[in-house]
């Protein structure tokens, strides 16, 4: 394919447990003993920085059921605390925690993000979610999650208020003039008196706006409300796409929603999740996947599927076709993953066992298996077609799959002019071309 001039794709990595494959912790070289060791995450971030990745990203779940013997305590550390520790051993890579508008206090959340953005001189973003489970709600003085519509209405107000707090005053108003005995310019530091449906905040923030203006706004949600929220507030979105058709459809939905917004010429970057198994030959790459799949506990995989489709799958016959599922319009859970499962069913008409095989690493994200050249061919196709501005890596194992990506795939991307050879700027906005 032709080399692209002056345009690079973006790469981030979602760090999760021992890796995104459900059997990763069972492998002989597993990192499972280090789940509660901060140096493990610091070393993963340093590896991402060695590969010139733009972002290290943490998802979040504010509950731990701990009911099954195979339940992974992957959210051992609060994402923001984890990333603060990571910031002290890295110099360039962006840092993105997940923030739930359903449970968070916007004054506190914005202050924490601004603090880390100042500490890192502008390397911070945040991923806005509305959370998914009643168990999480029960840790926040609720019996269950609010309705989907109510959560997104609250998220809209939350994001609006976060922006007010992020930009409520400038460090230029901190004069510290000893001779004139003036510390601040109070005329440029004023309350904004937000009074909404869900929040009442006097303002301003205790912390001035950040070196990059404000932290980069990410969003993850494929429902109609999620896409509308992204069009209004996000700089970039994380998406779930099993195939090119699904990625193209999501890109079109985002573009159409942006056209209807106040900022109709804005380009929102789209980063589909990407799972890679790379080898010097196709056989070696497929062998890496097969070794993981052979260790997959079926019961664990069925429990995950039950969460994705919001029904009990434990008694589904493994070697029979997947039972009919309701259309996406009737589904009340997270839409992106559910759409992906419907897409897999349409593409492959799988048995239950085959479906579990497709979902066992990353839950149905774009999955590439092969040599560096074969993998980059497909990444380049999505990038050139405009359905992806980059990818959010979901390594099947950690650190192994991330090491493979940095060693084999990054050089192939660089050879084709698709990826940078060094960090050109410092802030996350500069990394993502948003500055």
């Amino acid at each position: 394919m032709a080399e692209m001039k002056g345009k690079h794709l973006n790469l981030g990595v979602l760090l999760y447990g021992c890796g995104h494959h459900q059997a990763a912790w069972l492998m002989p070289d597993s990192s499972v003993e280090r789940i509660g060791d901060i140096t493990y995450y610091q070393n993963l971030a340093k590896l991402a920085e060695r590969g010139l990745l733009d972002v290290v990203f943490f998802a979040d779940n504010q509950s731990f059921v701990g009911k099954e013997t195979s339940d992974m305590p992957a959210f051992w550390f609060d994402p923001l605390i984890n990333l603060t520790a990571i910031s002290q051993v890295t110099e360039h890579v962006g840092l993105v925690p997940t923030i739930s508008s359903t449970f968070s206090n916007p004054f506190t959340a914005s202050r924490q993000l601004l603090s880390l953005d100042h500490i890192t001189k502008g390397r911070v973003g945040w991923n806005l979610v509305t959370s998914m489970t009643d168990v999480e709600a029960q840790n926040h003085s609720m019996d269950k999650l609010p309705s989907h519509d109510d959560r997104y209405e609250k998220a809209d107000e939350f994001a609006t208020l976060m922006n007010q707090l992020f930009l409520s005053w400038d460090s230029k108003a901190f004069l510290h003039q000893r001779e004139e005995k003036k510390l601040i310019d109070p005329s440029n530091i004023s309350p904004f008196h937000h009074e909404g449906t869900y929040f009442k905040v006097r303002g301003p923030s205790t912390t001035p706006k950040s070196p990059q203006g404000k932290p980069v706004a990410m969003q993850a949600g494929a429902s109609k409300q999620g896409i509308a929220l992204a069009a209004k507030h996000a700089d970039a979105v994380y998406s779930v796409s099993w195939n090119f058709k699904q990625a193209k459809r999501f890109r079109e939905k985002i573009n159409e929603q942006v056209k209807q917004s106040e900022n109709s010429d804005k380009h929102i970057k789209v980063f589909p999740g990407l799972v890679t198994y790379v080898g010097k030959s196709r056989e070696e790459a497929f062998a890496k996947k097969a070794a993981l799949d052979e260790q997959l506990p079926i019961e664990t995989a069925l429990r995950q599927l039950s969460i994705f489709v919001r029904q009990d799958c434990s008694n589904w016959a493994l070697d029979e076709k997947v039972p009919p599922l309701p259309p996406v319009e009737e589904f009340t859970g997270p839409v992106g993953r559910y759409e992906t499962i419907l897409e897999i069913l349409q593409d492959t008409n799988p048995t239950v066992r085959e479906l579990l095989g497709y979902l066992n690493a990353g839950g149905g994200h774009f999955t590439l298996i092969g040599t560096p050249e074969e993998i980059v061919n497909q990444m380049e196709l999505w990038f050139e077609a405009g359905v992806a501005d980059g990818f959010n890596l979901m390594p099947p194992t950690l650190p192994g799959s991330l090491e493979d990506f940095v060693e084999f795939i990054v050089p192939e991307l660089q050879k084709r002019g698709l990826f940078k050879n060094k960090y050109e700027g410092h802030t996350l906005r500069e990394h993502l071309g948003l500055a």
Side-chain angles (χ1 to χ4, degrees), residues 291-305:
L292 281 163
D293 289 349
E294 286 171 8
Q295 296 294 325
L296 179 67
I298 292 296
E299 297 79 8
T300 301
L302 286 170
R303 279 198 303 275
Q304 184 193 61
L305 181 60

Side-chain angles (χ1 to χ4, degrees), residues 12-15 43-51 53 56 276 278 393-410:
V13 59
L14 171 51
L15 298 183
N43 289 338
L44 289 174
K46 287 192 283 187
L47 173 58
E49 191 165 83
R50 196 176 84 214
L53 270 60
V56 167
T276 58
V278 62
L393 307 181
M394 303 177 72
T397 67
L398 287 169
S401 298
L402 183 56
E403 289 172 338
D404 285 350
F405 192 94
V406 169
E407 181 178 355
F408 298 113
I409 298 177
V410 167

Side-chain angles (χ1 to χ4, degrees), residues 257-385:
Q257 192 67 50
V258 168
K259 286 179 185 176
Q260 299 173 26
S261 70
E262 294 179 1
N263 191 3
S264 58
D265 60 346
K266 177 170 74 169
H267 177 78
I268 296 177
K269 295 214 167 192
V270 175
F271 302 138
L274 175 63
V275 178
T276 58
Y277 300 87
V278 62
K280 295 178 181 177
S281 65
R282 285 178 59 82
E283 292 75 19
E284 181 184 333
F286 275 91
K288 289 181 179 181
K289 184 177 189 301
L292 281 163
D293 289 349
E294 286 171 8
Q295 296 294 325
L296 179 67
I298 292 296
E299 297 79 8
T300 301
L302 286 170
R303 279 198 303 275
Q304 184 193 61
L305 181 60
S306 298
I307 293 169
F308 289 162
V309 301
R310 292 294 174 97
Q311 57 180 282
D312 184 6
C313 305
S314 60
N315 293 321
W316 285 8
L318 290 174
D319 295 308
E320 295 181 10
K321 297 297 182 183
V322 177
L325 294 174
V328 69
E329 293 78 14
E330 298 176 15
F331 187 67
T332 58
V335 170
R337 191 84 59 183
Y338 189 72
E339 281 185 332
T340 295
I341 290 172
L342 295 183
E343 200 72 31
I344 294 172
L345 297 183
Q346 182 176 325
D347 279 358
T348 66
N349 190 27
T351 64
V352 173
R353 191 187 302 275
E354 289 168 340
L355 176 62
L356 297 178
Y358 292 129
L359 296 173
N360 59 19
H365 285 272
F366 187 34
T367 299
L368 295 175
I369 312 167
T371 65
E373 295 79 10
E374 289 171 325
I375 287 174
V376 172
N377 283 346
Q378 292 301 308
M379 294 174 69
E380 185 172 11
L381 176 65
W382 282 37
F383 181 55
E384 285 189 325

Side-chain angles (χ1 to χ4, degrees), residues 25-75:
W25 72 278
L26 293 166
M27 301 303 286
D29 58 350
S30 164
S31 303
V32 67
E33 295 86 359
R34 302 190 66 198
I35 292 298
D37 179 356
I38 191 60
T39 64
Y40 170 58
Y41 302 99
Q42 290 175 321
N43 289 338
L44 289 174
K46 287 192 283 187
L47 173 58
E49 191 165 83
R50 196 176 84 214
L52 303 178
L53 270 60
D54 299 300
V55 173
V56 167
F57 165 48
F58 282 99
D60 196 19
N61 187 309
Q62 299 200 25
S63 67
F64 182 51
V65 178
K67 183 178 179 182
E68 304 295 337
T69 58
S70 59
D71 283 348
M72 170 65 71
F75 303 103

Side-chain angles (χ1 to χ4, degrees), residues 106-158:
F107 185 88
T108 301
S110 63
R111 187 189 193 199
Q112 291 171 333
L113 287 165
L114 277 178
S115 296
L116 186 55
D117 215 16
H118 278 278
I119 288 168
T120 61
K121 297 180 173 58
R123 288 196 278 144
V124 172
W126 63 296
N127 176 46
L128 173 61
V129 302
T130 67
S131 296
M132 295 193 298
T133 66
D134 291 340
V135 180
E136 290 178 277
Q138 289 157 12
N139 284 328
H140 292 277
S141 305
M142 304 176 187
D143 293 328
K144 62 180 182 179
L145 277 180
S147 72
H148 189 268
D149 286 347
D150 286 347
R151 295 203 309 277
Y152 274 92
E153 181 181 70
K154 185 176 184 180
D156 183 22
E157 184 181 339
F158 184 93

